[in-house]
DNA sequence: GATTCTCCATAGCGATCGATACGAAACCTG
DNA sequence: CAGGTTTCGTATCGATCGCTATGGAGAATC
């Protein structure tokens, strides 16, 4: 992968790159890529511009590293839900309820960085918008994969379209992200998730939240 | 309301404000409020900066007028669906299927301006983000009102939470807006809408699209 | 025709954008 | 210690941002 910490001499860093990246991630999460200025990043990261550029190359690279960190630290619920040894319906339930929690964590920006990061962008930032779109597409593909696995295991009726349903689930999660950004509480998002679950075929009865 | 066209003398305008506003609206729709620069607006509207500022005050006012125009010209399907003399389920069906069409019109930016316009914003543009949030909240409130009316008419079971369901429907529409932005076709959005409809109580059978 | 009003086009305003040049400082290896 | 290397802090860089000052042009009113 990458050369992790190999200084062959030279002045040591006076800051923690991990903490700095976290601060940048939260700022991008809150304001999006383009609306987050270097001045804001400077203050939130507690660094001078040369420190930022020496450690993270440029703003675009910093944002991509923030995306990767977000993917690793903030949305583990998704991978867990998709890989847990449970029924397909239960997997989707965990996915949506996990999103309800992750999108409305106190002290964190509402919604999902992959949605808020750059839904609309200037022509110069088109590459960033495309990168986020790729993340969203990958999420949808992961859902489709889980649904297909469910069909293969006889867990999900053969009649339903895996791609269509994955697009629905991914769409609901994106919608939850916006609702969270508009101030929806965990409970409200949970109710939304439960409602969305009712569209699933093979309707077993559900229990209280 | 406003003084509509009352020049008591003076040099006449050399451009059509309506067409200029349309061009601005589409640009904001595509790139969002902050990422749309005056240079882009100049080119798209075919105007010089003083022409823009004389006719529309400033960028923020121009954006608000673009929002109003969008509301009037692009999303009439919503009001139609909510006020049509049909069952509640049919009203919601028309709402979602109308969104599928409106969010993926050829030659138009994908999704809804109320979502793409400023989901994330810099602190300076917070007022704009709040305005868009207000539009989204109003849409949700309109849905809730329609659902409440359905309950009052015995059209919708008393048990379901009107607010919760409205949040679900609004959330699905927001999700459709993002899926449309990611390139979803009309058919794909229609399938998403049909899937979302299955979560509605009082499940009458549906017919082909 | 003189006055008055509004809009036109050119040019450029101060502020902020992302990104750097520069030289001193702090660590390693000899 | 000298030599090499990397990061440090300070002070900006050119480009672009939203916006406007200025003076002339074109229309209604008197």
């Amino acid at each position: 992968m990458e050369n992790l910490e190999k200084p062959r001499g030279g002045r040591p860093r006076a800051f923690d790159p991990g903490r700095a990246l976290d601060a940048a991630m939260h700022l991008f999460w809150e304001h999006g890529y383009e609306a987050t200025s270097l001045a804001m990043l400077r203050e939130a990261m507690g660094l001078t511009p040369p420190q930022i550029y020496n450690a993270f190359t440029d703003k675009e690279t910093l944002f991509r590293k923030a995306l990767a960190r977000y993917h690793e630290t903030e949305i583990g619920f998704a991978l867990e839900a998709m890989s847990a040894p449970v029924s397909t319906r239960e997997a989707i339930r965990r996915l949506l309820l996990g999103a309800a929690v992750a999108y409305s964590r106190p002290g964190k920006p509402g919604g999902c960085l992959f949605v808020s990061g750059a839904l609309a962008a200037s022509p110069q930032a088109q590459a960033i918008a495309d990168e986020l779109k790729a993340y969203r597409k990958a999420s949808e593909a992961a859902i489709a994969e889980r649904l297909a696995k469910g069909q293969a295991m006889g867990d999900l009726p053969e009649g339903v379209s895996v791609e269509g349903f994955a697009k629905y689930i991914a769409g609901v999660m994106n919608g939850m992200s916006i609702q969270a950004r508009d101030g929806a509480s965990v409970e409200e998002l949970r109710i939304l998730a439960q409602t969305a679950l009712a569209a699933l075929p093979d309707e077993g009865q559900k229990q209280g939240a």
Side-chain angles (χ1 to χ4, degrees), chain A:
Chain A
M1 290 293 180
E2 211 178 316
N3 227 350
L4 41 137
E5 316 303 325
K6 192 172 182 180
R8 312 178 310 243
R11 181 170 176 173
R13 282 229 170 82
F15 62 94
D16 180 347
R19 290 197 176 277
L21 182 54
D22 268 335
M25 180 193 78
H26 284 89
L27 210 55
F28 283 131
W29 192 354
E30 174 76 35
H31 300 288
Y33 172 65
E34 290 188 284
T36 301
S37 71
L38 259 298
M40 296 162 68
L41 288 167
R42 257 192 318 148
E43 182 174 350
M45 302 169 83
L47 302 177
T48 64
Q51 284 178 306
I52 298 177
Y53 282 88
N54 181 40
F56 304 103
T57 309
D58 58 11
K59 188 187 175 185
E60 182 170 337
T61 305
L62 173 60
F63 182 73
R64 292 180 193 272
K65 290 187 177 176
L67 283 185
R69 189 167 189 85
Y70 176 82
H71 189 227
E72 295 165 3
T73 64
E74 299 288 338
I75 51 175
F77 73 91
L79 184 57
E80 288 178 20
M82 306 309 276
S83 60
V86 295
S87 72
T88 300
R89 184 188 184 82
E90 172 64 15
I92 299 299
R93 198 186 72 91
R94 292 188 184 187
L95 180 67
L96 292 180
L97 293 183
V101 174
Y103 291 174
S104 62
R105 284 212 177 90
K108 303 262 183 184
C112 175
L113 172 58
F114 296 156
V115 174
S116 321
L119 189 55
S122 72
Q124 294 81 13
Q126 189 60 50
I128 292 293
D130 289 344
E131 171 108 1
L132 285 166
K133 175 177 164 181
Y135 271 100
R136 294 191 295 265
K137 290 279 186 188
S139 302
E140 182 180 317
I143 296 171
E145 200 173 342
R146 179 63 185 82
L147 293 177
K149 177 184 156 199
Q151 267 189 347
M153 300 193 334
D155 201 23
L156 195 71
E158 295 281 342
V160 310
S161 160
V162 160
E163 287 77 18
F165 232 94
K167 209 169 278 291
Y168 166 72
I169 300 295
V172 166
M173 291 179 69
N174 291 339
M176 289 172 64
S177 180
I178 295 181
Q179 291 288 24
R181 208 138 235 286
D182 286 351
S185 65
V186 205
E187 292 88 336
E188 290 172 326
L189 292 178
R190 259 199 275 257
I191 293 174
L192 201 166
Q194 295 279 11
T195 307
L197 274 174
L200 277 178
D202 172 44
E203 36 211 9
Q205 47 277 30
K206 54 180 176 297
Q207 66 288 4

